[in-house]
Amino acid sequence: IRVSFVEPHVLEVQLNRPNKRNALHSQLWKEIGHVFAEVVPVEEEVRVVLLTGSGKVFSAGIDLNAGTDENSGPFAQGNKTREADPARVGVKTLREGGSWQEAWSALNKCNKPVIAAVQNGCFGAALEMICFADIRFCNSDCVFQAPEVDLGIAADIGGNQVFPKIIG
């Protein structure tokens, strides 16, 4: 991620993997969790946080080529885990899912207002992530999608529970 002041008192936290459509992997959500849990709360100059994505779309969701960490995981291409026992894959994903939930929870518990500025597309885990922002806005051609069901992945990072409250 890229973190910078864009105006006095306005901190931008930008997903910065435009060549991967800001797809989320282990390092990225750990950085998000760290910034919202450890940096923003103690930074006195911050009055509001803008959560943005670089490039054409806000985020493509989980990086299915990286899986649960940047170089390996149950979805990584060519990874032997793909052929592994589904129960083992499920347990590993469940363990990693806890770190995703911690990152999104840090965003939710942030003591400064968080505004998600979404452009063109927001998919899967990124859709759940923006559910924890205080304010969300997007451009008129933005697409929101939860493709986990079609991929056979449980969408349970926590956004599904708050999404109905957001949209009414």
Side-chain angles (χ1 to χ4, degrees):
I1 61 175
R2 181 181 310 158
V3 179
S4 61
F5 281 95
V6 292
E7 293 286 332
H9 310 292
V10 180
L11 186 72
E12 180 180 25
V13 176
Q14 183 179 65
L15 307 178
N16 192 28
R17 295 183 74 207
N19 57 332
K20 295 285 190 175
R21 300 173 81 82
N22 298 316
L24 305 168
H25 58 66
S26 177
Q27 178 185 346
L28 191 60
W29 58 72
K30 286 177 184 172
E31 290 175 1
I32 291 168
H34 173 74
V35 165
F36 283 100
E38 305 294 329
V39 177
V40 172
V42 298
E43 180 56 59
E44 293 180 13
E45 290 299 310
V46 177
R47 292 187 188 164
V48 65
V49 180
L50 291 177
L51 179 60
T52 65
S54 62
K56 294 182 180 182
V57 299
F58 178 76
S59 177
I62 293 174
D63 188 340
L64 295 178
N65 291 323
T68 56
D69 97 16
E70 178 131 28
N71 300 310
S72 65
F75 309 112
Q77 292 180 346
N79 188 328
K80 299 280 185 225
T81 308
R82 184 177 291 225
E83 291 83 39
D85 174 20
R88 291 179 195 275
V89 173
V91 168
K92 181 177 182 190
T93 303
L94 181 61
R95 250 182 296 183
E96 291 291 330
S99 67
W100 307 341
Q101 288 172 329
E102 288 172 16
W104 294 184
S105 179
L107 196 152
N108 184 44
K109 293 176 182 176
C110 184
N111 64 349
K112 311 282 173 62
V114 178
I115 301 171
V118 183
Q119 80 279 10
N120 301 327
C122 184
F123 302 92
L127 177 59
E128 292 199 52
M129 177 177 61
I130 67 165
C131 286
F132 294 108
D134 298 297
I135 299 170
R136 294 149 295 280
F137 68 92
C138 63
N139 61 347
S140 60
D141 12 339
C142 194
V143 174
F144 296 91
Q145 185 179 15
E148 294 91 341
V149 174
D150 293 336
L151 298 170
I153 303 169
D156 61 355
I157 299 173
N160 287 339
Q161 289 77 13
V162 296
F163 194 62
K165 294 174 187 173
I166 294 168
I167 61 172

